[in-house]
Amino acid sequence: MTTKRPLGLPSARLILIAAVAGVLAGAVAVYVRSMGSGNGEEVADIASVQTAGICEGAVARVKSVSEFAKGQVAAMVAAEPPRPLELSFKGPEGQDLKTADFAGKTVLLNLWATWCGPCREEMPALNALEKEMGGEDFEVVAVNIDTGSDEKPKAFLAETGVDALGYYRDSSMGVFNVMKKEGLAFGLPVTLILDKQGCLISAMNGPAAWDSEDAKALIAAAKGD
């Protein structure tokens, strides 16, 4: 006889994985910010270009969100500087979508697969977050990257009662490869927060209890509530 874990309370294993991910993410962030040619002016110029225009207003939002990256979502790393990020995948009807199609919404974009244990464990919490906070100004966009047919991911969602999330897919894994090249994805799951202009404001590698009070406070800060 097994005892089911109540929704919203991560297992000790999930907490450990998230904690390790937080340490690694912090180390990676320090490494990335330290990279360059050694020319301080060049790095400053790159940052200026990246924050110019559409993402200029996201700087304050990044600071606000970083203050809430603690507890269950401590592994969330601020984008310094925030920048436009365009990713492509399929929508619920198999239509081509881009992150730009979600303009006007704050988006929690999560990549998952049925063969990823931590991904499977956090999906009910993502579903609960969408039920509670999803709407015209916020959406959890969970993109499945299983190769092959829709059979396995759809069966998993049905079996686990995940009924609030839209069905987003990229069986080519192209979206993961783009994020990997951007230095954002080192494995699964990986989660990004994009603001209403499609600017990346923070990223996390590893799982989290997305239905926790820490996560809700983080999302509220991202939305500007």
Side-chain angles (χ1 to χ4, degrees):
M1 180 177 179
T2 59
T3 302
K4 291 186 177 181
R5 178 174 55 86
L7 181 64
L9 297 178
S11 68
R13 183 171 64 85
L14 180 57
I15 293 173
L16 178 61
I17 293 171
V20 172
V23 172
L24 291 177
V28 169
V30 171
Y31 173 70
V32 170
R33 286 197 292 270
S34 299
M35 288 177 66
S37 64
N39 186 328
E41 290 183 359
E42 179 181 344
V43 173
D45 287 344
I46 293 173
S48 177
V49 170
Q50 288 178 321
T51 56
I54 192 171
C55 293
E56 187 173 359
V59 176
R61 186 62 47 80
V62 169
K63 182 179 180 181
S64 177
V65 169
S66 65
E67 293 174 355
F68 288 89
K70 56 188 177 182
Q72 300 290 350
V73 288
M76 186 64 74
V77 178
E80 297 180 1
R83 64 185 188 274
L85 185 66
E86 187 172 279
L87 302 170
S88 301
F89 44 90
K90 299 290 185 180
E93 306 302 323
Q95 74 275 31
D96 292 330
L97 286 178
K98 293 183 178 180
T99 45
D101 294 319
F102 296 85
K105 281 186 177 183
T106 300
V107 170
L108 182 81
L109 192 145
N110 174 277
L111 297 190
W112 69 282
T114 58
W115 42 262
C116 165
C119 302
R120 295 171 67 95
E121 193 163 351
E122 75 172 356
M123 285 301 291
L126 286 167
N127 191 63
L129 178 64
E130 173 63 19
K131 280 187 175 180
E132 182 169 343
M133 301 190 71
E136 294 183 357
D137 61 348
F138 172 71
E139 183 176 352
V140 175
V141 177
V143 182
N144 174 266
I145 61 169
D146 278 55
T147 57
S149 72
D150 290 339
E151 183 178 353
K152 284 186 178 180
K154 284 189 173 180
F156 167 74
L157 295 176
E159 290 168 4
T160 52
V162 175
D163 56 0
L165 300 177
Y167 186 65
Y168 299 104
R169 274 272 275 156
D170 179 22
S171 60
S172 73
M173 291 186 66
V175 64
F176 176 81
N177 290 329
V178 170
M179 288 169 61
K180 185 176 180 181
K181 289 179 181 178
E182 289 278 341
L184 299 171
F186 308 101
L188 289 180
V190 57
T191 306
L192 311 180
I193 297 181
L194 306 176
D195 72 5
K196 295 176 182 179
Q197 286 73 46
C199 298
L200 174 69
I201 58 177
S202 59
M204 173 191 290
N205 277 262
W210 291 109
D211 53 351
S212 66
E213 294 305 313
D214 290 327
K216 294 172 191 175
L218 182 80
I219 296 306
K223 290 169 55 183
D225 292 351

